[in-house]
Amino acid sequence: MEDRHRQSAPELKAQIEAERAGRPFLVYRDGDGAQAIVAIEAGASELWVGRGGSADLRLEWDEEVSALHAQIEVVRDECTLVDDGLSRNGSFVNEERVHGRRRLRDGDAIRFGRTVVAFRRPGEGAPEATVVATDLPAAATVSPAQRRVLLALCRPFKEGTSFATPPTNQEIGAELHLSVDAVKTHMRALFEKLEVGDLPQNQKRAALVERAFQSGIVSRAEL
């Protein structure tokens, strides 16, 4: 049976496009299991989370979420979760309950009721970015040789710049002293294992970089 929480190719593409926009954003699954992305626009000062109609991020399907549950304060690109006891069941960041205020960092998993919302801040350079409800069991099967290729592929993105481009097979081969055919073989395996094989050819390499950081196979600290 297909996993309703597995991130599809269109969902991955939408998340990559949100990251390229350069603004902080939230990504979560709605009541029907579909991915939803909410961008925090420039100039925004706050975003209210709750089940009621006045909430900016409305989680109406989750009965454990209060009508107005919590607030996200925005100062430029800095976002802070505020929960001063307004909600009955509390708010959690990486499963730690927030009492008062908690600055959000790229990759934080925020839980309101039963709903988990991932906070993304492109360019912050967190070593591991958490994607909500994404299943990557194949990541554990990446071989040491494939991981070396993946590290070389991700190296230009060490600083998290949106202007970086993935290296070619020839460039990876030169760095690792591998033939181009060997690099191609590893890349084909990585496309399948990290589930980007269905994307258009011109998007696969950037998507693979994104997946590598999201899954934790590669951290910027080791590049």
Side-chain angles (χ1 to χ4, degrees):
M1 183 173 64
E2 184 178 356
D3 186 349
R4 71 195 290 264
H5 284 164
R6 187 182 295 275
Q7 193 177 38
S8 67
E11 288 174 340
L12 176 60
K13 180 180 178 182
Q15 188 167 322
I16 291 172
E17 289 175 350
E19 178 163 335
R20 285 175 176 167
R23 293 293 307 164
F25 64 93
L26 306 169
V27 55
Y28 61 97
R29 299 271 174 192
D30 66 18
D32 296 322
Q35 176 177 276
I37 293 176
V38 175
I40 300 175
E41 302 295 342
S45 60
E46 62 182 20
L47 185 150
W48 284 93
V49 181
R51 191 155 47 95
S54 61
D56 302 300
L57 178 58
R58 192 178 180 194
L59 310 177
E60 71 273 11
W61 62 88
D62 192 333
E63 295 181 353
E64 295 183 11
V65 173
S66 301
L68 281 179
H69 193 99
Q71 179 188 30
I72 296 176
E73 287 186 351
V74 185
V75 179
R76 295 185 181 178
D77 289 345
E78 298 287 343
C79 297
T80 301
L81 178 65
V82 182
D83 191 327
D84 290 322
L86 186 65
S87 64
R88 180 176 181 180
N89 294 318
S91 305
F92 299 78
V93 175
N94 303 326
E95 289 307 314
E96 295 181 5
R97 185 159 185 166
V98 174
H99 298 281
R101 306 167 67 86
R102 170 80 174 256
R103 180 190 172 193
L104 298 175
R105 298 184 180 277
D106 183 39
D108 279 344
I110 315 167
R111 181 166 62 82
F112 309 106
R114 298 187 304 272
T115 303
V116 179
V117 178
F119 173 75
R120 294 302 315 277
R121 185 184 172 195
E124 187 175 33
E128 295 184 16
T130 303
V131 177
V132 63
T134 297
D135 183 14
L136 286 175
T141 68
V142 171
S143 71
Q146 290 163 359
R147 189 172 181 277
R148 287 193 293 272
V149 169
L150 202 52
L151 285 168
L153 181 73
C154 295
R155 210 173 309 283
F157 297 83
K158 180 177 181 179
E159 304 302 327
T161 174
S162 59
F163 300 105
T165 56
T168 65
N169 290 337
Q170 289 84 355
E171 290 169 336
I172 293 173
E175 177 182 337
L176 302 179
H177 305 288
L178 294 174
S179 69
V180 171
D181 286 341
V183 175
K184 286 181 178 178
T185 298
H186 289 317
M187 290 293 291
R188 282 195 294 268
L190 288 166
F191 288 151
E192 294 306 313
K193 289 184 177 183
L194 272 72
E195 301 175 2
V196 299
D198 293 334
L199 289 177
Q201 192 64 35
N202 63 347
Q203 297 178 16
K204 285 183 180 181
R205 300 171 83 85
L208 187 60
V209 171
E210 181 76 7
R211 283 288 212 181
F213 288 131
Q214 289 173 356
S215 64
I217 299 175
V218 174
S219 71
R220 290 186 173 90
E222 62 184 328
L223 295 179

